[in-house]
Amino acid sequence: MKKTLIGILVLLLVGCGAQGSHQDGHDQKEGTPNASEETNQSGETDAEEPDQDGSQDDDKEQDAEEEPAEEPAEEPAEEPAEEPEEDPVITYTIHPANWTLKPDIETEDKVVLLTIDDAPDKHALEMAKKLKDLNVPAIFFVNGHFMDTDEEKDIVKEIHEMGFEIGNHTMSHANLRNSPEEKQRHEIVTLSEEIEALTGKAPRFFRAPFGINTDFSKKLMEEQGMLFMNWTYGYDWEKEYQTGESIADIMVNTPLLTNGSILLMHDRDWTNEGLVDIVKGLQNKGYIFVHPDQIVE
């Protein structure tokens, strides 16, 4: 009996121990996971989600910047603009039949040439400055007896340096018709030499006093390479035109004014006074002023 009870107790104790071990194993499976399992489930360590400060986006932007940028397509080169054609320079010849200038090509321009004799008597430099301000060319025909002082020579040189042509009007304003050939040579050649020594340029144009040439003076012109030039009209030696207003009026409104006219004026008080009005009056009539460089043989 006693052995039977002990056997039952042993069986009961063994059964209880087995049941406790089974319960502990069940709790381990359903309990809180360990640290390594928790980390793997959350995904916060292995996943590549961006940090709150956007560091992953920065990495992507940096990768994009490191990629070579595409070069922009080259724009086609612009073709150089065509330069406008320059108007041809018109040249003129002197026609002694009526002492006017004739163009070498057809043109609608109306032109005149300004010439001033007996320089530099009193007003030549002032007249040159007025014309310079107006951008108007002219020929200043000088006389040797107005160049016999250093001051007068300086005036001629200054007029030349202002861009005006210096012409030969003889040494003493002598009438060549009444002068022997040797006298004519002196009147013309000596003055040309003085002009060249002073300006560095031999004169291209010759004007005889009173417009009177001789066969010998014409031969000298050819030898010296000069053109002789008279005029279409002039008035400032006539008493009725010896005021600035009257000389300006007749020089602009004379019936002798025509296309190509060669205008004769002198270094005189009244011509100096009327010079600007003469220029503007001609311009108002549509005339432009020929430069002496445009005159050819």
Side-chain angles (χ1 to χ4, degrees):
M1 180 70 178
K2 190 179 287 186
K3 292 179 178 180
T4 301
L5 291 171
I6 292 170
I8 293 170
L9 289 171
V10 171
L11 289 173
L12 289 172
L13 291 170
V14 171
C16 290
Q19 184 176 1
S21 298
H22 177 76
Q23 182 68 37
D24 291 340
H26 181 75
D27 292 341
Q28 179 70 24
K29 289 182 180 179
E30 293 183 359
T32 303
N34 58 32
S36 61
E37 288 174 343
E38 183 175 342
T39 301
N40 287 335
Q41 288 175 359
S42 69
E44 292 180 2
T45 299
D46 296 330
E48 295 183 356
E49 293 182 8
D51 296 333
Q52 291 182 355
D53 60 358
S55 61
Q56 184 178 353
D57 289 341
D58 291 343
D59 292 340
K60 290 181 180 179
E61 290 178 3
Q62 184 174 0
D63 292 342
E65 290 177 359
E66 290 176 355
E67 294 180 1
E70 294 184 3
E71 295 184 0
E74 293 185 2
E75 297 182 0
E78 295 183 1
E79 296 183 1
E82 294 184 2
E83 295 183 0
E85 294 184 3
E86 295 183 0
D87 294 333
V89 177
I90 301 173
T91 57
Y92 297 85
T93 53
I94 302 170
H95 281 236
N98 59 356
W99 293 108
T100 58
L101 300 176
K102 300 297 182 183
D104 61 344
I105 61 175
E106 290 187 6
T107 174
E108 296 181 357
D109 292 342
K110 296 193 304 180
V111 302
V112 293
L113 173 69
L114 295 187
T115 66
I116 298 171
D117 285 9
D118 297 350
D121 186 4
K122 296 178 180 179
H123 306 288
L125 183 57
E126 184 179 354
M127 295 171 82
K129 290 179 178 179
K130 289 178 179 179
L131 294 175
K132 184 72 172 179
D133 290 341
L134 295 167
N135 196 27
V136 171
I139 302 175
F140 283 79
F141 284 98
V142 301
N143 293 112
H145 63 268
F146 291 134
M147 291 174 51
D148 53 7
T149 68
D150 290 341
E151 183 180 358
E152 291 170 337
K153 290 177 181 178
D154 288 342
I155 290 173
V156 173
K157 186 176 181 180
E158 185 173 353
I159 292 172
H160 166 74
E161 290 175 347
M162 291 169 66
F164 294 101
E165 190 82 16
I166 303 298
N168 184 323
H169 196 39
T170 73
M171 287 293 295
S172 65
H173 206 271
N175 186 330
L176 298 180
R177 183 180 294 167
N178 301 328
S179 303
E181 291 183 357
E182 199 58 35
K183 169 71 171 176
Q184 294 182 54
R185 179 180 294 277
H186 173 76
E187 289 285 337
I188 298 168
V189 176
T190 302
L191 181 57
S192 288
E193 292 173 348
E194 290 190 7
I195 292 172
E196 184 173 9
L198 187 62
T199 65
K201 180 181 178 182
R204 292 183 58 227
F205 301 99
F206 172 75
R207 173 168 286 160
F210 317 106
I212 299 173
N213 282 284
T214 66
D215 291 340
F216 184 75
S217 69
K218 293 176 182 178
K219 182 181 178 181
L220 278 178
M221 293 307 98
E222 186 175 348
E223 291 178 3
Q224 297 287 307
M226 287 192 290
L227 299 174
F228 65 92
M229 176 186 290
N230 280 356
W231 56 88
T232 310
Y233 66 86
Y235 294 93
D236 62 358
W237 60 88
E238 299 182 18
K239 288 187 177 181
E240 59 185 301
Y241 301 116
Q242 292 182 357
T243 67
E245 182 179 357
S246 61
I247 191 60
D249 179 67
I250 190 61
M251 291 298 288
V252 172
N253 297 310
T254 175
L256 298 178
L257 174 61
T258 187
N259 189 10
S261 290
I262 301 172
L263 278 56
L264 170 62
M265 297 178 287
H266 293 80
D267 182 343
R268 301 287 186 271
D269 296 344
W270 46 91
T271 310
N272 178 39
E273 292 173 7
L275 183 59
V276 172
D277 289 337
I278 291 171
V279 169
K280 292 184 176 180
L282 292 167
Q283 289 175 331
N284 289 338
K285 285 194 168 185
Y287 284 90
I288 60 178
F289 298 89
V290 171
H291 194 285
D293 287 347
Q294 295 175 261
I295 303 172
V296 298
E297 293 186 20

